[in-house]
Amino acid sequence: MRLFIAINFDENMTDALIEMQDDLMRCGVNGNFTREENLHMTLVFIGESDEPEKIEEIMRDVPLRSFTIKVSGMRRFKDMVFANVEDNPDLTDYVKRLRNALSDNDIDFDKKKFMSHITLVRRASGAKDIFLPSDEISSEKMRVNGISLMKSEQSRHGMVYTEIGYVRAF
């Protein structure tokens, strides 16, 4: 099965992200907008694995202290638009420790450098420059109280993400 480890969002954060997508649509951006139920922040993309129990055990072994993330504004990367997640040393440190633990336990994962972001639109087109006046930029904070092991499956309606494991922060 195809797996990844992520932060899922509370209702307030999800609402703020949906508002950002609405702002993009109003600015003329077209593309594949991430469905509300699929909004998340990937910490580690594992890919195909038949060891979800082992991965969840590793997640439990890496201490996760609760921290706050803040989303403010948007940025483009190639043909995608991301919600900007402000730099957070607690998040960066946790992801580093988690990836080290996965490596130490011979779990393969995508080794690309971690970049905290939330994908709002893939294959974005339309407005060349995405500009929103600063008084219109959505900003939201959320306390991260746990992380999820997610399964990703292709359906005829697109990708479906299902939480199959959860580790609570202390």
Side-chain angles (χ1 to χ4, degrees), residues 133-147:
S134 59
D135 61 340
E136 291 183 29
I137 293 178
S138 296
S139 177
E140 184 67 42
K141 290 182 181 180
M142 185 188 99
R143 193 81 185 157
V144 175
N145 293 313
I147 59 166

Side-chain angles (χ1 to χ4, degrees), residues 10-21 23 68-74 83-86 118 120 132-142:
D10 64 20
E11 185 177 345
N12 289 339
M13 180 63 79
T14 300
D15 288 347
L17 295 168
I18 294 298
E19 182 62 33
M20 293 172 99
Q21 289 179 321
D23 289 342
T68 299
I69 58 171
K70 182 177 181 186
V71 171
S72 180
M74 295 176 256
N84 185 52
V85 179
E86 293 186 1
I118 303 159
L120 297 174
L132 298 171
S134 59
D135 61 340
E136 291 183 29
I137 293 178
S138 296
S139 177
E140 184 67 42
K141 290 182 181 180
M142 185 188 99

